Amino acid sequence: FHTVEALRFFKDGLKRNGIDGEGLGVSVVVHDNSARNAYGMNACFRGERPPMWSALKLAGARLSLPEIHIGDGGGDWLPFSAAYDVLAHELGHGIIGYSSQLVYEGESGALDEAFADVIAVSAKEWSHLRGQPSSFIIGEKMMWSGRGGLRDMENPTVYRDPDHTSIASRCKPGEAPDQKKNDHCYVHSNSGIGNKAFSLMVKGGTHYGFGIPKAIGWEPSRMIWSRALTPVGSRATFLQ
């Protein structure tokens, strides 16, 4: 249900037809407890745009759909499919995978993660699903106890994520990006920088002494991010 709703948000809220902009959907694989990222979390997106994707589709080739893998949680953690914003986040990675294809490491990877978070909270705000509170916190509905979440886009430092490049986490000179050792050079942590920028666009505020006197709200902010990050290297067109 959450996946279908997120794709509806893409079409009606982002004016984008599916993951690839050309109507592509996704397969959801459940009970996959091997689907863990660098933090041991049970959710991931698998599959990027194959070479000549559009040409192969026009030729009628049978191509497998990209997949979202969801585990069962454990302890206080619910299955990640319980959180609508988490499903939307993973689909956000799919949009990048089928458009600008940002390299998943360092600053580029952090921007990929921030974009997925932008998609997550924007979907939540647009859909207004019962039991899925509209806020800048990612993953509020992921624990039996109702506590926590994964990240706070408005206040990244609450989760020890940087909110400014001056305090970004960085790999040491010569240190290779690695999923387990440094989370591809801290892509999840450093997403806090882009996340903070998005929250300031939506609602304004003061950041490191600079004030944002006039915010532009949810819809213009999400459309700016979507149009800025997806058309590069992509044949996808936005619905009019």
Side-chain angles (χ1 to χ4, degrees), residues 57-140:
K57 284 177 62 178
L58 287 173
R62 289 182 60 85
L63 297 170
S64 59
L65 291 175
E67 298 175 343
I68 291 177
H69 288 244
I70 299 292
D72 296 319
D76 195 31
W77 291 102
L78 291 162
F80 277 28
S81 52
Y84 173 47
D85 53 358
V86 172
L87 265 294
H89 171 101
E90 298 304 335
L91 287 165
H93 284 307
I95 291 178
I96 289 294
Y98 278 79
S99 55
S100 54
Q101 295 183 301
L102 292 169
V103 177
Y104 197 70
E105 61 185 56
E107 291 184 4
S108 174
L111 189 56
D112 188 332
E113 283 294 337
F115 176 78
D117 280 351
V118 166
I119 294 298
V121 296
S122 296
K124 201 164 48 170
E125 187 276 335
W126 185 85
S127 293
H128 295 297
L129 297 181
R130 180 179 296 179
Q132 301 286 332
S134 177
S135 75
F136 286 103
I137 297 176
I138 305 294
E140 290 175 279

Side-chain angles (χ1 to χ4, degrees), residues 205-222:
T206 300
H207 190 50
Y208 284 75
F210 291 91
I212 311 297
K214 186 176 181 181
I216 62 175
W218 282 98
E219 183 175 4
S221 297
R222 70 172 182 255

Side-chain angles (χ1 to χ4, degrees), residues 14-16 19-22 49 95-102 115 222-238:
L14 290 181
K15 308 304 179 184
R16 182 181 180 85
I19 289 176
D20 65 344
E22 301 175 19
R49 183 186 68 199
I95 291 178
I96 289 294
Y98 278 79
S99 55
S100 54
Q101 295 183 301
L102 292 169
F115 176 78
R222 70 172 182 255
M223 294 307 296
I224 287 171
W225 274 70
S226 181
R227 289 178 181 267
L229 288 178
T230 59
V232 178
S234 173
R235 294 182 57 192
T237 55
F238 286 90

